[in-house]
Amino acid sequence: MKTESKVLATFLAAAVWADGEYNEFEQELVGEIGEELGIKSLKADLEAAIALVENLSEDDLDVALKDAAKKVNASEKEGILVLCLQMLCADAFLSTDEIENFFAFADILGVDEDAAENILDEYVNEEEDLIIEE
C-alpha cells in the first residue's frame, strides 16, 4: 500500500469510533488487514488514531479526515473506503448511521457516489450474515 499507515489509521479510527468503542471484532479485523497489507504498525497506528479521534468534535474530525484524504494515494481511495466499510460492519451489523458515515467517507475521499453505492451493494450482497438496520 502506498498510503501511509497513519493516514489509513485515521480513517479506520473514525469508522471504529463511530459507535464509541473499539471492540474485539474490530481488533481482530485490524490485525487481519495489517497482515494482508503487510503493515505491521497498523494496530499501533490505529490505537494512536483512536486516542485522537475520541477527543475530537465532529467538525474537528471532519477536518482531520479531509487532511488525511489529501495524503491518500489516488489509486487506493476506493480500497480505503472498502476497509472503512469492513470496520463499520465488523460486528456484523450495519446501521443507518453507519451507512451515512460510509457515504461521508466516500465524499471526503472523493469517491463518486455511484461507485460508493456499488461498493456498498456488492459488500452487502457478499456478507450473508450482515444484519442491516431498516
Side-chain angles (χ1 to χ4, degrees):
M1 175 166 261
K2 297 175 185 174
T3 301
E4 291 181 26
S5 177
K6 290 180 181 182
V7 172
L8 173 58
T10 301
F11 280 94
L12 297 182
V16 164
W17 205 249
D19 65 0
E21 69 174 312
Y22 182 38
N23 66 41
E24 182 181 331
F25 300 113
E26 293 162 334
Q27 292 172 24
E28 288 177 22
L29 181 57
V30 169
E32 292 171 14
I33 291 170
E35 277 184 38
E36 189 174 307
L37 297 176
I39 304 173
K40 294 179 182 181
S41 65
L42 185 59
K43 253 185 165 173
D45 290 340
L46 178 62
E47 289 170 9
I50 288 171
L52 292 173
V53 165
E54 67 183 341
N55 294 314
L56 294 178
S57 70
E58 217 172 289
D59 289 339
D60 289 340
L61 177 58
D62 192 49
V63 168
L65 288 170
K66 286 179 180 177
D67 287 344
K70 293 174 188 173
K71 299 173 188 171
V72 171
N73 183 285
S75 66
E76 297 175 337
K77 290 181 179 205
E78 287 187 9
I80 289 176
L81 184 59
V82 170
L83 294 175
C84 289
L85 181 57
Q86 289 177 333
M87 294 306 298
L88 290 168
C89 297
D91 60 358
F93 182 78
L94 184 62
S95 70
T96 54
D97 287 343
E98 289 170 325
I99 292 170
E100 287 177 24
N101 287 337
F102 169 79
F103 282 106
F105 292 139
D107 183 50
I108 289 169
L109 286 164
V111 174
D112 177 79
E113 190 173 332
D114 289 338
E117 284 182 28
N118 288 337
I119 289 168
L120 180 61
D121 290 345
E122 186 175 316
Y123 187 84
V124 166
N125 288 333
E126 289 178 4
E127 294 298 314
E128 296 171 5
D129 296 333
L130 185 65
I131 299 167
I132 303 171
E133 180 180 87
E134 298 288 331

